[in-house]
Amino acid sequence: MMSCSKSAEDGGETDQHQPLILERVKKEADKNWKTVVSDRLKKHCTCTAQKAKSKILGFVPILSWLPRYQCRDWILGDAMSGLIVGILLVPQSIAYSLLAGQDPIYGLYTSFFASIIYAILGSSRHISVGIFGVLCLLVGQVVDRELAVAGYLAERSSVGIGNFSEMSDQGNSSVEIQCDKSCYAITVGATVTFTAGVYQVLMGLLQVGFVSVYLSDSLLSGFATGASLTILTSQVKYLLGLKIPRPQGWFTLFKTWYSLFNNIGKTNICDLVTSLVCLAVLIPAKEINNRFKAKLKAPIPFELFVVIIATVASHFGRFNTEYGSGVAGDIPTGFLPPQLPSWSLIPNVAVDAFSIAIVGFAITVSLSEMFAKKHGYTVDANQEMYAIGFCNILPSFFRCFTTSAALTKTLVKESTGCQTQVSGLVSGLVLLLVLLVIAPLFYSLQKCVLAVIIVVNLRGALQKFADIPKMWRSNRVDASIWLITMATSALVNTELGLLVGVLVSAYCVLGRTQRVQVVELGRAGDREHYEDLSSYHGLQRHPGVAVFKYQAPIYYANQSLFKKSLYKSVGLNPVKEKARRIKFKKKQQQEAAGKSEEKEDASRENDVEAAAASVTLMHDKTSSRSFHSLVMDCGAVLFLDTAGVNALKEIHKDYGELGVKVFLARCNPSVLDTLERGGYYPDGKGGNVGENKMVFFTIPDAVRYAQSLGAPNGNPDSRC
């Protein structure tokens, strides 16, 4: 208990300090709805020349930055980075076509159009948009599934690119009937790409670019690593020269390895030797580039060297005809005429396209924001949605498949002096040169070499396994999300892994609000600062007043747990106490039934006094002390819903019936509005904070007011 002198000091402070009272600003919701609608229509529906110019420049960013381009300072860095990325894109575009189930020419188309369109519409200066391994895997799974449904996998696949004259001359309605396997595969791929692009543009129109924040770094990293394991497994058959179909459905990782072991005796020795030689060259070469990247002005394009040497060796060694080694086949020059997607396929691929759209957008936005923050500028998430959407919609008419930003090429682009997306235009020119002149020279390039390029580029994702102990020590929740997402993506199903990762992340967030406990606060000396009593030494309790804190929103999912935790911390459950009192009174009435009326009245009066005394004396676990008021610190309560307001109303009512006052402190404006709308205040109107004597701006204001109620005549000086 506090001394009389201390109580007198508190009383003096009470006289000198009145509760802080502030008048609320009138919100838009409090205004007349006609005024609100009129103001918003004027803001969004009026068109001026300045607003139209701003919208156009915002939608086509190149019109904004290109006139201000500093040619003398930037052109060398942009040209160098664009040239190097373009050179790297040539072998990677051809290789990742294999992963997407397409012929090599379509990968070159995809990288070319994506580089040009993003340079025009993108808001990031540094990211490189093109083929991304995870998206190629997702597209390839859809393509193989639709090929199986159409019966193409039962036929022998054509080596070349298909009948182009037939593709361009025939109408879209009969494309499924008159195309060969290669033609139908790109039709499926282009339809998936078109649908994913439409999703992304619609999300941009609806201004839902914020959805990317729900895909955490641990989720995306786990998903990419799990998909990398699937990609690695899918390329082993090419490394061994085996001709086995890609399994469909769930647990493809196990199905693939089962097929590989069953067919291991059919390994093509030529492909196996070529794969081992290329791996022996590229893995150390990648390490050299990584180790000396600070000293090298640009990474050495070892992949391109390997592709050139392997193509020459395969051509003059006749690996295809002499040893049966699979090669890229005919890669024509030029462009095919545009073709509409297959409308009849859209219902079959709509769900797959949605997950592809989300992954592509999330990767692009996360990389854009990362590099924008690093270099001191901002990007618009919704504009990125438009940009990546049109990078999918427009190229889909030219038989391309899905694209997004790619980390590896973006890092190369940044490290080689990139300043603007002019570097993307330069990369597009390099790819255009390949498409118009050089592409047919890759006819004899072995597929196993392309598979080696894919596998070697997975090193970054697979190295994440070495970081698991560090992630676990840093944050076990994020590490658990990573592990669950990775395992589901790799072992069960790639798309399911993304969904499971989102659900687990949401559950972890909700779970944290479920596990929060009410803690009792104490005052730090003479300062008006309160902290958890169980976390710090030297904190003091107030006589007659207990202060508690809850560090989570109070809503339907945790309101019951909040009440239980509060009752446990206080040391008194008011519901059980009321039941105990009722039972106590009934027992006393039964015992007094045979006594005289005078004795009965006296006994009842004494029993009521004893019951009241037992209620007002509430004991905590460590000391025997009484208090008449509870102050609830709501500074960490971000929001309330109807269930949360009802929980606070129940607490106020139940404790009030036992003679204990409940006060709230440090409520934010959103919580105050919810309390007023939810009928927390007896008169239905909360008024200004501090005036209603139920809610206070600060804990000291609430404590001083509660102490004044517990003192005779409302004067804390006389409490002792």
Side-chain angles (χ1 to χ4, degrees):
M1 295 293 292
M2 298 178 67
S3 66
C4 293
S5 61
K6 183 64 179 176
S7 298
E9 290 175 6
D10 290 342
E13 290 178 5
T14 305
D15 295 335
Q16 296 174 5
H17 296 88
Q18 294 298 323
L20 177 63
I21 299 174
L22 297 175
E23 185 178 354
R24 293 292 303 277
V25 176
K26 191 175 182 181
K27 296 292 184 64
E28 195 175 72
D30 301 329
K31 299 179 182 178
N32 184 279
W33 68 270
K34 294 181 180 179
T35 305
V36 175
V37 172
S38 176
D39 292 343
R40 293 194 175 185
L41 286 175
K42 289 178 181 179
K43 180 180 179 181
H44 295 288
C45 297
T46 56
C47 183
T48 62
Q50 185 65 28
K51 185 178 287 187
K53 179 181 178 181
S54 175
K55 289 290 184 183
I56 294 173
L57 294 179
F59 186 73
V60 189
I62 193 173
L63 298 178
S64 177
W65 59 261
L66 190 59
R68 302 195 302 269
Y69 187 79
Q70 300 175 21
C71 187
R72 180 177 298 178
D73 297 330
W74 294 348
I75 189 62
L76 183 60
D78 282 340
M80 177 65 70
S81 63
L83 178 64
I84 292 170
V85 171
I87 292 172
L88 293 176
L89 278 173
V90 174
Q92 291 187 13
S93 299
I94 297 173
Y96 280 106
S97 301
L98 198 67
L99 186 59
Q102 309 297 338
D103 287 323
I105 188 66
Y106 300 128
L108 295 171
Y109 287 162
T110 301
S111 295
F112 168 74
F113 283 109
S115 298
I116 300 297
I117 295 172
Y118 187 83
I120 297 172
L121 299 178
S123 60
S124 172
R125 303 174 192 170
H126 293 88
I127 67 169
S128 174
V129 173
I131 292 179
F132 180 54
V134 175
L135 293 184
C136 290
L137 172 67
L138 297 176
V139 171
Q141 290 175 340
V142 179
V143 168
D144 284 354
R145 185 190 68 207
E146 294 303 317
L147 286 174
V149 170
Y152 281 97
L153 293 184
E155 303 174 5
R156 182 176 180 82
S157 172
S158 60
V159 175
I161 194 167
N163 192 336
F164 286 98
S165 61
E166 186 176 46
M167 289 171 62
S168 58
D169 294 338
Q170 299 298 329
N172 183 65
S173 60
S174 59
V175 67
E176 291 88 347
I177 300 175
Q178 301 191 17
C179 274
D180 63 2
K181 178 184 174 183
S182 172
C183 170
Y184 190 72
I186 192 55
T187 300
V188 174
T191 303
V192 172
T193 301
F194 173 82
T195 310
V198 170
Y199 282 138
Q200 290 166 335
V201 170
L202 287 177
M203 287 189 284
L205 290 172
L206 296 175
Q207 301 288 295
V208 292
F210 64 89
V211 298
S212 63
V213 302
Y214 295 105
L215 301 178
S216 64
D217 291 341
S218 56
L219 186 154
L220 290 174
S221 176
F223 174 73
T225 305
S228 297
L229 287 176
T230 305
I231 294 171
L232 173 64
T233 301
S234 69
Q235 298 307 298
V236 174
K237 66 178 182 180
Y238 296 108
L239 299 179
L240 300 178
L242 299 176
K243 294 179 174 60
I244 55 177
R246 182 185 297 180
Q248 300 299 312
W250 290 7
F251 307 106
T252 55
L253 192 80
F254 301 107
K255 294 176 182 178
T256 302
W257 282 107
Y258 178 78
S259 298
L260 289 171
F261 284 119
N262 275 349
N263 294 274
I264 197 71
K266 301 177 183 178
T267 299
N268 187 301
I269 302 300
C270 178
D271 284 342
L272 177 61
V273 172
T274 303
S275 300
L276 293 175
V277 172
C278 292
L279 285 170
V281 172
L282 285 179
I283 291 178
K286 287 286 186 179
E287 289 297 330
I288 292 173
N289 274 336
N290 287 336
R291 181 166 298 183
F292 298 101
K293 62 182 178 182
K295 298 180 179 180
L296 294 172
K297 293 185 178 180
I300 303 172
F302 288 107
E303 291 174 346
L304 184 62
F305 298 156
V306 167
V307 165
I308 294 172
I309 295 171
T311 303
V312 172
S314 176
H315 175 73
F316 290 103
R318 299 180 181 179
F319 291 169
N320 177 238
T321 56
E322 295 291 334
Y323 304 104
S325 181
V327 296
D330 290 320
I331 306 179
T333 57
F335 293 91
L336 298 173
Q339 174 181 291
L340 292 174
S342 176
W343 307 116
S344 61
L345 281 174
I346 291 179
N348 298 351
V349 303
V351 175
D352 305 283
F354 183 75
S355 62
I356 291 172
I358 293 295
V359 173
F361 165 68
I363 296 294
T364 302
V365 170
S366 60
L367 287 180
S368 298
E369 292 179 343
M370 180 175 71
F371 284 92
K373 182 178 180 181
K374 182 177 179 180
H375 292 276
Y377 63 94
T378 59
V379 293
D380 183 355
N382 289 305
Q383 180 59 32
E384 289 298 290
M385 189 86 83
Y386 288 129
I388 201 66
F390 283 109
C391 280
N392 288 323
I393 291 177
L394 299 179
S396 69
F397 298 116
F398 295 91
R399 301 169 181 83
C400 300
F401 47 90
T402 316
T403 57
S404 75
L407 177 60
T408 305
K409 291 184 283 291
T410 300
L411 289 173
V412 171
K413 192 173 182 179
E414 182 210 24
S415 64
T416 51
C418 171
Q419 299 292 331
T420 68
Q421 283 298 333
V422 167
S423 62
L425 299 176
V426 175
S427 298
L429 291 177
V430 174
L431 291 166
L432 181 63
L433 176 65
V434 174
L435 284 167
L436 295 179
V437 180
I438 304 174
L441 300 179
F442 294 110
Y443 174 92
S444 298
L445 178 61
Q446 291 170 272
K447 290 183 177 180
C448 64
V449 177
L450 302 177
V452 168
I453 293 174
I454 294 174
V455 170
V456 170
N457 280 289
L458 296 176
R459 290 167 58 258
L462 296 178
Q463 285 174 349
K464 290 288 185 180
F465 285 105
D467 296 334
I468 293 177
K470 181 180 178 181
M471 286 191 292
W472 186 260
R473 289 191 300 269
S474 175
N475 190 308
R476 293 187 177 185
V477 174
D478 287 345
S480 299
I481 293 172
W482 189 93
L483 288 169
I484 293 172
T485 306
M486 181 277 299
T488 309
S489 300
L491 304 179
V492 184
N493 181 272
T494 309
E495 294 91 339
L496 182 65
L498 181 64
L499 177 61
V500 169
V502 172
L503 294 178
V504 171
S505 298
Y507 177 77
C508 288
V509 173
L510 293 176
R512 291 180 184 183
T513 66
Q514 305 287 304
R515 298 176 60 186
V516 174
Q517 299 295 317
V518 174
V519 296
E520 186 175 1
L521 304 183
R523 181 174 176 175
D526 295 333
R527 297 177 180 270
E528 294 186 345
H529 182 76
Y530 291 80
E531 287 294 345
D532 181 7
L533 281 167
S534 63
S535 299
Y536 298 94
H537 297 291
L539 300 179
Q540 302 172 357
R541 291 185 173 92
H542 290 284
V545 181
V547 183
F548 295 92
K549 183 176 185 178
Y550 189 66
Q551 302 185 81
I554 305 174
Y555 62 109
Y556 70 94
N558 71 347
Q559 53 88 19
S560 177
L561 297 172
F562 160 68
K563 290 190 293 184
K564 290 181 181 179
S565 179
L566 178 63
Y567 297 158
K568 181 179 179 182
S569 296
V570 171
L572 175 73
N573 187 324
V575 179
K576 292 182 178 180
E577 177 62 23
K578 286 193 294 183
R580 189 192 68 80
R581 288 184 60 179
I582 294 172
K583 184 178 180 180
F584 179 78
K585 288 182 180 180
K586 288 183 178 180
K587 181 179 179 181
Q588 294 301 320
Q589 289 174 356
Q590 292 174 357
E591 292 178 354
K595 297 181 180 180
S596 62
E597 186 174 353
E598 294 180 0
K599 292 182 178 180
E600 182 179 356
D601 292 339
S603 176
R604 286 181 179 178
E605 184 177 352
N606 293 334
D607 292 340
V608 170
E609 291 176 357
S614 66
V615 171
T616 56
L617 291 173
M618 291 165 281
H619 303 284
D620 65 6
K621 296 178 180 179
T622 60
S623 63
S624 178
R625 68 189 185 94
S626 63
F627 50 87
H628 51 78
S629 300
L630 298 179
V631 175
M632 194 70 200
D633 178 10
C634 298
V637 178
L638 298 180
F639 66 87
L640 298 172
D641 66 356
T642 304
V645 175
N646 290 336
L648 292 176
K649 289 164 66 175
E650 290 174 15
I651 290 169
H652 188 274
K653 176 177 176 293
D654 292 341
Y655 276 118
E657 292 177 353
L658 301 180
V660 180
K661 299 290 185 180
V662 178
F663 304 100
L664 305 181
R666 301 208 310 143
C667 298
N668 64 51
S670 173
V671 171
L672 293 174
D673 292 339
T674 306
L675 289 172
E676 185 170 352
R677 290 195 299 266
Y680 180 75
Y681 306 102
D683 58 357
K685 294 184 179 180
N688 292 325
V689 176
E691 288 183 334
N692 53 39
K693 306 305 181 185
M694 295 178 66
V695 182
F696 296 84
F697 275 115
T698 68
I699 297 176
D701 284 348
V703 170
R704 282 192 287 265
Y705 180 75
Q707 287 178 330
S708 70
L709 296 179
N713 300 321
N715 183 4
D717 289 350
S718 59
R719 290 192 68 233
C720 58

